[in-house]
Amino acid sequence: MGVDLRQVVAGVLTLTMFVMLIHMIKRDHFDAVDDKQPGTEDFSFENTNFETTHVRKNIGIWKGDGDELKPCWVKPSEDSNSNVEQTEGFVTFSLTNGPEYHISQIADAVLVARSLGATLVIPDIRGSQPGDKRNFEDIYDVDVFMKSMEGVVRVVKDLPSRVSKHKIAAVKVPNRVTEDYIAKHVEPIYRSKGSVRLATYFPSINMRKTGEKSDADSVACLAMYGSLELQQETHELVDSMVERLKTLSRKLDGQFIAVDLRVEMLDKKGCQGSDGDKEKSCFNAQEVAMFLRKIGFDKDTTIYVTQSRWDESLDSLKDLFPRTYTKESIIPADKKKKFLDSEDSELEKVIDFYISSESNVFVPAISGLFYANVAGKRIGSGKSQILVPAYIPDSSASASSFLSHYVSKKNHFAYSCYC
């Protein structure tokens, strides 16, 4: 029986078109995620496995991560411990205002408790709104914290019932409190009242290296970078969101930028200044967009913005970088109610802080403690690509010119902790 050549050709064409149609459907299904409007829910990605073995070690604007540094602090020796008189009192405190403050507050509390020979009580966590209060273990791993403090300071989970909270003296201490300050301003109150409740205030954002390292610096290093670890659910959430951003950035081998840009902060006094001011400390979405474009990032770049909900002022950033996302569009649907719809800003700040610590590039559009303490976390893990925005009058510029002074001058306190 003869074969009709026209039927063969028609069969081949039909099969080819069928294969092309399947390919287009698959591609459109994946690419559609990038085209959704800000704030809309995306497909489930909890089981997405993004392989990063092929990520190229780029130079220039992306640059590869540097070598992860090793902690070079040491726990206080038995000799130094014997010099601290152990007392019967307690040091209590609360973590407030987000993880960028928690890191500093925990270091000050540990140093005060050790200097006084007092027992440190695990803190609660309080947000900016009245009644916004949660337990330490709701965000952090309490077992990791207590283990890290072994041999440094005694720690208990709760204040003993025999100690009245109402009789504990409240004491304010400056961030990065010194042993001399504790001896002069805190110890007399502690000796008189028996216990103290600390509140850390921030007269300035001082995260620069000190001179010669001391035992106090080692204690501060341990507290800041070796004691706080996210509890499992929160850790897994942040990891899944980071993987999501890598997946969305498949055209750039999973590399993405995190930009700390919160619209509500731009109207505050500390953010005011003229465009030509070299000391300008805050940049809006349009300024950040122009900065990123002029130093070489293209339209396919994936950007995570710390602004909680989409604001129309971010449109100018999305116009130049269509793959710009806030947390509401990349968080798993089953976590949205707990972490975004609970009106608990503390959990949202945790997400922002740790995603900003893990991104390939970090751009602090707002100067302050968030920038300083994210920088410290990144330095320890070798993620030194921190680019500080600036007004660029020319059509282009080198990204290396805008590397954070914390990295370029190695003057961040973290360089006292890692080596």
Side-chain angles (χ1 to χ4, degrees):
M1 181 176 177
V3 178
D4 191 331
L5 183 60
R6 289 176 298 179
Q7 290 180 331
V8 173
V9 173
V12 171
L13 289 174
T14 300
L15 180 61
T16 302
M17 291 177 66
F18 181 70
V19 171
M20 291 176 62
L21 179 60
I22 291 176
H23 176 73
M24 290 173 63
I25 291 172
K26 290 174 65 178
R27 185 191 62 197
D28 289 344
H29 174 71
F30 202 98
D31 288 348
V33 178
D34 293 333
D35 298 329
K36 287 190 175 184
Q37 293 300 310
T40 58
E41 292 184 0
D42 295 321
F43 67 89
S44 174
F45 61 95
E46 292 178 354
N47 296 320
T48 300
N49 182 20
F50 185 82
E51 298 292 342
T52 57
T53 55
H54 67 290
V55 174
R56 57 184 182 269
K57 294 294 184 182
N58 288 349
I59 58 174
I61 55 174
W62 284 111
K63 221 171 187 176
D65 290 345
D67 293 333
E68 184 172 349
L69 303 180
K70 302 296 183 183
C72 54
W73 65 78
V74 293
K75 283 193 174 183
S77 64
E78 291 186 7
D79 290 338
S80 63
N81 285 337
S82 64
N83 294 330
V84 180
E85 178 191 354
Q86 297 302 302
T87 59
E88 298 301 318
F90 297 85
V91 171
T92 69
F93 68 113
S94 293
L95 298 177
T96 61
N97 299 319
E100 70 270 30
Y101 286 85
H102 299 173
I103 286 177
S104 295
Q105 291 163 344
I106 208 86
D108 292 329
V110 169
L111 188 57
V112 169
R114 176 173 170 77
S115 297
L116 298 176
T119 298
L120 186 69
V121 180
I122 294 287
D124 58 12
I125 300 175
R126 302 189 181 188
S128 56
Q129 301 300 321
D132 185 358
K133 181 180 175 181
R134 60 182 58 251
N135 296 322
F136 181 87
E137 56 265 30
D138 291 338
I139 293 179
Y140 298 110
D141 189 319
V142 67
D143 293 329
V144 168
F145 177 74
M146 295 187 74
K147 186 173 180 59
S148 72
M149 291 295 112
E150 290 177 358
V152 180
V153 65
R154 293 170 298 177
V155 179
V156 295
K157 290 186 178 181
D158 299 294
L159 191 69
S161 56
R162 60 182 170 80
V163 180
S164 172
K165 293 181 180 180
H166 301 292
K167 293 183 179 179
I168 297 178
V171 180
K172 287 186 176 182
V173 296
N175 177 226
R176 297 190 69 180
V177 65
T178 64
E179 292 179 301
D180 288 342
Y181 184 96
I182 295 169
K184 183 176 181 179
H185 298 283
V186 183
E187 187 171 355
I189 299 174
Y190 176 75
R191 298 288 183 185
S192 172
K193 299 296 184 179
S195 295
V196 293
R197 178 172 178 78
L198 298 183
T200 298
Y201 68 94
F202 293 80
S204 64
I205 306 302
N206 176 20
M207 289 306 300
R208 292 178 181 265
K209 285 174 63 176
T210 54
E212 293 185 5
K213 288 191 288 188
S214 64
D215 283 344
D217 284 338
S218 283
V219 171
C221 287
L222 170 63
M224 293 180 75
Y225 302 119
S227 71
L228 292 180
E229 186 173 305
L230 293 178
Q231 55 96 321
Q232 185 176 355
E233 181 187 11
T234 309
H235 197 296
E236 290 175 352
L237 171 65
V238 171
D239 284 349
S240 70
M241 294 176 72
V242 168
E243 290 304 309
R244 170 64 160 159
L245 289 162
K246 290 179 179 180
T247 301
L248 292 169
S249 189
R250 63 198 180 280
K251 290 184 178 180
L252 291 172
D253 290 333
Q255 298 173 115
F256 71 96
I257 299 175
V259 178
D260 179 34
L261 197 166
R262 289 157 283 156
V263 175
E264 70 276 7
M265 295 291 293
L266 299 178
D267 293 329
K268 295 192 174 182
K269 185 177 180 180
C271 278
Q272 303 307 308
S274 63
D275 290 344
D277 185 359
K278 293 183 180 179
E279 299 302 319
K280 186 176 171 67
S281 61
C282 301
F283 293 82
N284 61 34
Q286 183 175 10
E287 292 166 334
V288 169
M290 294 304 298
F291 168 74
L292 292 175
R293 180 55 61 86
K294 287 186 175 182
I295 62 175
F297 290 99
D298 64 30
K299 67 180 181 61
D300 289 328
T301 302
T302 295
I303 297 177
Y304 173 81
V305 184
T306 57
Q307 171 69 21
S308 290
R309 305 294 186 276
W310 191 266
D311 186 272
E312 63 180 10
S313 65
L314 299 179
D315 290 347
S316 56
L317 179 58
K318 194 172 181 67
D319 287 344
L320 287 184
F321 299 96
R323 290 181 170 84
T324 297
Y325 305 93
T326 58
K327 64 181 69 60
E328 63 181 340
S329 60
I330 63 169
I331 193 169
D334 63 331
K335 301 295 184 183
K336 189 172 183 180
K337 183 176 181 180
K338 177 176 180 178
F339 286 87
L340 296 190
D341 296 342
S342 63
E343 297 183 355
D344 183 352
S345 61
E346 207 72 11
L347 292 174
E348 296 188 23
K349 291 175 182 177
V350 168
I351 293 172
D352 290 332
F353 186 84
Y354 285 90
I355 289 180
S356 296
S357 300
E358 291 294 324
S359 62
N360 299 90
V361 176
F362 174 55
V363 177
I366 301 169
S367 179
L369 197 62
F370 188 97
Y371 160 35
N373 274 336
V374 165
K377 292 279 288 184
R378 294 181 65 92
I379 286 168
S381 60
K383 296 181 179 296
S384 58
Q385 194 72 334
I386 305 170
L387 304 178
V388 179
Y391 173 69
I392 303 175
D394 300 324
S395 59
S396 64
S398 170
S400 61
S401 301
F402 304 97
L403 193 65
S404 168
H405 67 84
Y406 285 137
V407 174
S408 62
K409 297 181 179 180
K410 294 191 174 181
N411 61 6
H412 195 285
F413 178 68
Y415 285 107
S416 300
C417 303
Y418 293 98
C419 48

